[in-house]
Amino acid sequence: MPIHEQSLIRPENIKTHDKLEIDGIDVSGHWSTFIESRVVTDYNEAMEDEIAALPGGEFIHRCWQCGSCTNSCTVNAVNPDFNPRYWIYLIRTGMESELLRDKDIIWQCISCNKCTYACPRDVEPEGVMKATAHWLEKKGHTPKSPSIIFDEIFAEQVIARGKIEESSIIRQFLKRTGQPLMQDWLVAMARGLLMKLPVGLMRRMGLAVLFRPRTSGWSKARAALEEYVEECEREQRRALGLGDGKPE
């Protein structure tokens, strides 16, 4: 799985001498540009298996580095440093230290799924990006990303009540991410809804905020889901080498 593009070489590893003469020949400037050699010794040979053990990463082994994911990526079009193909390459070759250099942007995947539609090998790169962000958080390399926090809040509400209540999800998300509850866009959206939605629907939405409706007879389903989630988290922690699998 070779990577040859100059864009993937770290800028600090490209060296140029402003003034250099070799055997009487002036090779100053771009003529003396070379890539600084280095040795990587801290391979994590289990990294691919660790990512594959998390939801979304199951098919990372199928990747053949064609680049369709990065070529179709919405975020890459704005930020060329966001490169799913390169990160999958690093994961599969166990170069953990290199992957960690991009830990602050990996979570920025917006789940548009263009990469998944474009992938000819059904790697599901969007899932791999989410699994990688989850891996970074579980291994303690980064705090929880906003997308993971939102997913947790959504899942908590579904498990607890069997239903979701949108305004509650938004409030909890803003609170857990340290954002003020009074957002300009949220106020504008609320005003627009007040002007356009039928009175009956608005009344039902208001009652849902106050009384938090739940699916009838949900207790058994809730217990089963909680047991399943706990089992999955145990297995993931074991796969990542995080002790006996019990949450901290």
Side-chain angles (χ1 to χ4, degrees):
M1 298 181 294
I3 295 287
H4 298 298
E5 291 90 338
Q6 183 177 344
S7 63
L8 298 179
I9 301 172
R10 301 284 180 180
E12 63 269 24
N13 292 332
I14 300 177
K15 304 297 181 181
T16 302
H17 292 278
D18 294 330
K19 187 168 182 61
L20 180 65
E21 185 175 306
I22 300 178
D23 295 332
I25 300 175
D26 185 3
V27 291
S28 304
H30 72 276
W31 295 105
S32 65
T33 299
F34 67 96
I35 301 171
E36 186 177 46
S37 62
R38 60 193 177 90
V39 177
V40 178
T41 59
D42 57 342
Y43 286 99
N44 177 0
E45 296 181 357
M47 187 157 63
E48 181 178 352
D49 292 335
E50 292 175 355
I51 299 293
L54 298 173
E58 298 90 345
F59 306 119
I60 188 173
H61 64 281
R62 295 176 177 173
C63 179
W64 57 6
Q65 290 290 295
C66 69
S68 296
C69 53
T70 298
N71 187 54
S72 62
C73 178
T74 299
V75 182
N76 176 264
V78 178
N79 178 11
D81 290 335
F82 191 94
N83 195 327
R85 179 186 68 161
Y86 181 50
W87 293 330
I88 292 174
Y89 166 77
L90 294 179
I91 291 167
R92 297 196 65 195
T93 52
M95 292 196 280
E96 182 172 343
S97 59
E98 287 294 299
L99 182 72
L100 293 180
R101 297 175 75 170
D102 291 328
K103 65 182 181 179
D104 294 329
I105 62 173
I106 288 175
W107 64 269
Q108 293 177 0
C109 171
I110 60 173
S111 296
C112 65
N113 275 300
K114 287 183 179 179
C115 57
T116 296
Y117 299 141
C119 178
R121 294 280 291 170
D122 293 326
V123 176
E124 299 183 12
E126 183 272 342
V128 175
M129 290 300 96
K130 283 297 181 66
T132 304
H134 201 185
W135 177 87
L136 288 167
E137 177 257 313
K138 280 187 169 292
K139 297 282 277 190
H141 297 306
T142 60
K144 289 181 181 179
S145 69
S147 61
I148 288 178
I149 292 174
F150 183 88
D151 289 346
E152 287 181 346
I153 295 169
F154 189 96
E156 286 170 7
Q157 193 170 121
V158 171
I159 292 172
R161 293 183 272 175
K163 291 184 177 181
I164 62 168
E165 198 281 298
E166 290 86 351
S167 64
S168 175
I169 290 177
I170 293 173
R171 289 198 307 273
Q172 288 294 320
F173 174 74
L174 294 175
K175 182 179 179 180
R176 292 193 194 179
T177 53
Q179 301 182 61
L181 295 179
M182 294 301 292
Q183 301 273 344
D184 291 341
W185 65 269
L186 193 55
V187 173
M189 184 176 71
R191 287 175 178 169
L193 291 175
L194 286 171
M195 294 174 60
K196 295 182 180 180
L197 290 180
V199 175
L201 179 58
M202 289 295 295
R203 185 184 299 114
R204 288 196 297 274
M205 291 174 64
L207 290 173
V209 173
L210 293 174
F211 297 105
R212 299 184 178 182
R214 66 180 63 239
T215 300
S216 60
W218 184 248
S219 57
K220 290 184 179 179
R222 174 180 177 176
L225 284 172
E226 288 175 338
E227 182 180 354
Y228 174 73
V229 170
E230 185 178 346
E231 180 182 339
C232 288
E233 289 180 349
R234 258 197 321 268
E235 290 300 320
Q236 290 169 14
R237 290 183 64 81
R238 288 197 189 100
L240 271 61
L242 300 175
D244 59 3
K246 295 179 182 178
E248 297 177 354

